[in-house]
Amino acid sequence: MATVINDTQHVQVEAALDDRWLMGADAFESLTGWTLKPEGMCRADVCAPIYRKAAVLPEPGMIDLVEAAPVIGLSAVVDVARGVAALGASAASRGDSMTTLQAPSFTLPDMHGKPVSLHDFDRRKVLLLAWSSW
Amino acid sequence: MQEELAPYGMTIIAVAIDSDLEAVQEWAAHAPGLTILIDRDFTVAEQYGIVNVPATVWIDEDGRIVRPADTAMGDDRFRAFAHVDSSVHHAQLRRWVIDGERLLDDAAVADLMEQPSPELQLARLHRRIAVELDDRGDVEGAREHLATAAELAPYDWVIRRGSMPMNDIDPFGDKFFEFVGEWMQAGSPGYRLATGREFPGDQVGTAPE
């Protein structure tokens, strides 16, 4: 098993790691919500065509995570030697969602480990104060 | 501010952009009663385009961002360095919460959102991997990814300064001031206060000297 860190959690996934990070279509789907179909990567009624088939699908039924991420608006960084990958928004999709001015939802642990969401404060004004010990 | 403005419908959510749980707990002990959350992977910083701390974002009752990430001090401890007057921010906050007055329209807010470059996005992903490896005790692996992140985003304060503790570097020491020097020489990129883009009524806008 390998670990993928996405925007909300750490997920254990089945992956074949050599010089690339390859995942079966099922594992890729449960990780990303996108299904590999003949017309491309599909979610609900949206399909994104795969233009670089040889890179995205280097082996039958296997998806290269780094190459496939941009097809679905994501970026991936992988460390195959250590079995850890990080999957997040691409710069373009992050930029697009920022300009909608819709406050992105998040759920983070408080000091007692209890998950707290922005949505817990719906209908209130929120002053989001980012700080750190550094 | 929380006590004063809560009756008018405002909540402060203090998000620690920090991977060091113990350090956060130490600081949090000074602010009992405040909602303090921990963002170890810096995801909120990424979502809201927060390029340095401390910073504030204003979110209205409809979940809309009405003031984008902006350096805003809770008090004047860092005033001489950051050229930010906390009383100005407090006064503006009161006007928004109590009187419903907005400083910026939607177009101006959208224009001020710090949109990431592809390199910065990749740097943030490398940093997430570093946190995971550091948790596993793989210090070597963590530092490799932090080094790559620093190469990809050499002038991002959250990436550079925020990674100093994991690199065993004092974030208030010589290395930090070296970084500030490099960043200023590069024209203080990615930083509203230093680029002179200020909010109406703010008495800020000069770079640290």
Side-chain angles (χ1 to χ4, degrees), chain B residues 39-166:
Chain B
D39 181 17
R40 299 195 67 219
D41 286 336
F42 292 15
T43 309
V44 166
E46 175 187 328
Q47 288 175 316
Y48 286 87
I50 293 164
V51 296
N52 198 6
V53 289
T56 56
V57 180
W58 297 2
I59 301 167
D60 75 8
E61 298 89 335
D62 298 321
R64 307 268 306 160
I65 297 170
V66 297
R67 178 164 173 156
D70 179 33
T71 300
M73 305 289 171
D75 56 42
D76 285 329
R77 265 177 303 173
F78 300 102
R79 184 173 174 172
F81 182 70
H83 292 247
V84 175
D85 184 339
S86 65
S87 66
V88 173
H89 182 243
H90 290 178
Q92 292 174 345
L93 189 62
R94 285 190 188 97
R95 274 156 56 194
W96 173 56
V97 174
I98 300 172
D99 308 325
E101 190 181 326
R102 275 187 64 168
L103 290 163
L104 301 165
D105 62 19
D106 279 356
V109 177
D111 182 52
L112 286 166
M113 298 293 281
E114 296 287 356
Q115 297 200 31
S117 64
E119 292 76 18
L120 176 55
Q121 257 341 71
L122 291 178
R124 288 163 163 169
L125 295 175
H126 276 285
R127 199 188 172 286
R128 284 193 209 174
I129 294 178
V131 175
E132 166 72 14
L133 294 177
D134 195 61
D135 285 352
R136 293 180 182 182
D138 182 355
V139 175
E140 198 64 26
R143 288 186 182 173
E144 268 177 41
H145 284 279
L146 291 179
T148 309
E151 277 169 32
L152 286 163
Y155 304 119
D156 186 83
W157 283 60
V158 170
I159 291 286
R160 293 296 306 277
R161 187 153 189 254
S163 295
M164 286 181 179
M166 216 189 293

Side-chain angles (χ1 to χ4, degrees), chain A residues 7 79 101 104 123-124 133, chain B residues 11 18 48 62 65 128 145:
Chain A
D7 282 356
D79 185 330
L101 302 186
R123 305 312 309 158
R124 288 184 69 80
S133 67
Chain B
T11 302
D18 207 309
Y48 286 87
D62 298 321
I65 297 170
R128 284 193 209 174
H145 284 279

Side-chain angles (χ1 to χ4, degrees), chain B residues 6-20:
Chain B
Y8 296 96
M10 189 204 73
T11 302
I12 295 177
I13 304 179
V15 177
I17 311 296
D18 207 309
S19 303
D20 185 342

Side-chain angles (χ1 to χ4, degrees), chain A residues 45-62:
Chain A
D45 49 4
V46 177
C47 284
I50 301 170
Y51 294 111
R52 303 173 60 246
K53 272 220 167 85
V56 176
L57 307 166
E59 291 169 29
M62 294 300 269

